[in-house]
Amino acid sequence: VVDVVSLPKPAVAVPVFSRLLDLPLIKGDEDPVAPYFAVSAKPWPGAVALYSSAEDDGYSLNSVTEKRSVFGLTETPLAASSPGLPDRGARLRVKIGEGVLASASRTGLLNGANALAIGNPTGGDWEVLQFEVAELVGADTYEIRNLLRGQLGTDAIMPAVWPSGSLIVLLDGAPSQIELPSSSRGLERHYRVGPANRGYSDASYRHLLHSATGAGLRPYRPGHLRSAEDAGGNTLVSWIRRSRIDGDSWEGLDIPLGEDSERYLVRVLDAENAVIRQAEPNTCSWQYTAEMKAADAPSQIAAIQVAQLSVRYGVGPFQRIEIHE
C-alpha cells in the first residue's frame, strides 16, 4: 500500500478594493493633511498593506490595516438639502458589499454616530452625512433616512444631486489615516495596495495615484450671510464665522478661530459673475459704500460672496448672496 500525500493548493491572493479619502477634521486632533485609507476584500486577507512612493518605483511600507471598511453604492439619487438639520423626507437606498448598517439612537446621532462619506466612485470631494435609521429592504440593500447633511463643513461641496451609483464609505473607525508629510499636500503620489502577507510586486497588488488636498485645513464656509442698505446708499454685508476646530463647544465665550489670523475675502460680482471689486476684511462685516458703487458703475451688481482665508490652505469655500439694486 502506497500512501499518497496530497499537497495543499497554494492560496490565491485576491486583489482588494481600496480608496484614499480626503476628509475634514472629525474629532479635531487628526492630521489635517493625511488622507484616510479604506479597504475591503472578499475573502478578507486578514491584513492589508499600503506602500507609497513619489514615483512608481522604490516603494516603502506606509501603513497596515486589519480593519475592513464598509463600502456601498447608492441605488437612488440624493438631492441637496439644508445642512445640519434633520432631513426627514429623504430616503437613500444603498447596496453594500461586506458588512452591515444599523440604526442609531437620536442621542447617538447627535454625538457623531452613523457617519458616512459619499462621493464620486472615481475620486474627488466627499460629503460627510449621518443617518439615524437603516432599514434592510433587500439582499445587502438598505434604505437610510433621517439624514444630517453636509456635516463637518462639507455643506460647501454638497452638489445639487448625488446621482445613483455614488460611492459611500462608512466612517465607523475602520478607515484610518496614512502617513503623509504636510509638504506632500497637492503632490501626486503613487501607492500600491494588497494583502500584507505578500510583497508589493505581487500580482494581487493594485496601483493608485492620489494627490492629498488637505481637506482638514479647509475653512468652513461662512454662515448667515446678510446685506442691508442704509439711507445713504451704503450696503453693510455681515456673516457669522464658523470654525473647523471645537466649533460645537458651548463652554467658551466664542468658538476658537482655528486659523493663524482672522481674514476674509469679499468679492463683488456682476451679472456675468465677473469680479468687479474685492476686499480682505479681518472682521465678520464689510461695508460696500455708495462711493464704491459709483466707482464700479456702470457694471450691474449681482452678488457678493465671502470666504474665510487660511494661511496654510488658502481661500476657503465661498458663501454667496444675491444683490438687487
Side-chain angles (χ1 to χ4, degrees), residues 16-28:
V16 302
F17 179 82
S18 64
R19 285 292 182 272
L20 290 171
L21 294 75
D22 291 302
L23 298 177
L25 295 179
I26 298 174
K27 295 180 180 179

Side-chain angles (χ1 to χ4, degrees), residues 236-318:
L236 179 65
V237 183
S238 62
W239 55 91
I240 301 296
R241 177 173 62 83
R242 299 167 67 194
S243 177
R244 60 189 175 87
I245 299 175
D246 294 335
D248 291 331
S249 175
W250 292 85
E251 299 300 321
L253 297 176
D254 197 359
I255 59 174
L257 179 60
E259 304 295 342
D260 294 330
S261 61
E262 184 171 7
R263 200 156 52 101
Y264 304 91
L265 179 61
V266 178
R267 287 176 173 169
V268 181
L269 309 177
D270 66 12
E272 303 298 324
N273 283 326
V275 178
I276 58 177
R277 180 180 291 273
Q278 66 180 28
E280 294 186 11
N282 56 12
T283 61
C284 293
S285 64
W286 177 72
Q287 184 166 263
Y288 190 27
T289 66
E291 290 77 12
M292 293 176 182
K293 295 178 186 179
D296 293 339
S299 299
Q300 180 183 357
I301 302 166
I304 293 177
Q305 58 183 19
V306 181
Q308 188 169 6
L309 296 176
S310 165
V311 171
R312 295 183 65 189
Y313 185 86
V315 182
F318 282 96

Side-chain angles (χ1 to χ4, degrees), residues 129-143:
L129 62 83
Q130 292 175 257
F131 61 93
E132 182 177 6
V133 179
E135 179 183 356
L136 187 65
V137 294
D140 300 320
T141 304
Y142 293 82
E143 186 177 84

Side-chain angles (χ1 to χ4, degrees), residues 160-290:
V161 177
W162 285 114
S164 300
S166 296
L167 184 66
I168 66 162
V169 185
L170 190 64
L171 303 180
D172 59 352
S176 57
Q177 287 189 295
I178 69 170
E179 296 292 328
L180 186 75
S182 60
S183 59
S184 293
R185 178 167 67 98
L187 301 179
E188 186 174 77
R189 292 186 62 83
H190 295 257
Y191 299 91
R192 289 192 176 270
V193 183
N197 60 357
R198 304 206 174 208
Y200 67 78
S201 60
D202 190 83
S204 61
Y205 270 70
R206 291 293 178 262
H207 176 249
L208 299 176
L209 284 171
H210 185 78
S211 300
T213 64
L217 294 171
R218 182 175 61 210
Y220 285 11
R221 184 167 63 179
H224 303 287
L225 181 59
R226 295 184 173 90
S227 68
E229 186 172 356
D230 63 22
N234 306 301
T235 297
L236 179 65
V237 183
S238 62
W239 55 91
I240 301 296
R241 177 173 62 83
R242 299 167 67 194
S243 177
R244 60 189 175 87
I245 299 175
D246 294 335
D248 291 331
S249 175
W250 292 85
E251 299 300 321
L253 297 176
D254 197 359
I255 59 174
L257 179 60
E259 304 295 342
D260 294 330
S261 61
E262 184 171 7
R263 200 156 52 101
Y264 304 91
L265 179 61
V266 178
R267 287 176 173 169
V268 181
L269 309 177
D270 66 12
E272 303 298 324
N273 283 326
V275 178
I276 58 177
R277 180 180 291 273
Q278 66 180 28
E280 294 186 11
N282 56 12
T283 61
C284 293
S285 64
W286 177 72
Q287 184 166 263
Y288 190 27
T289 66

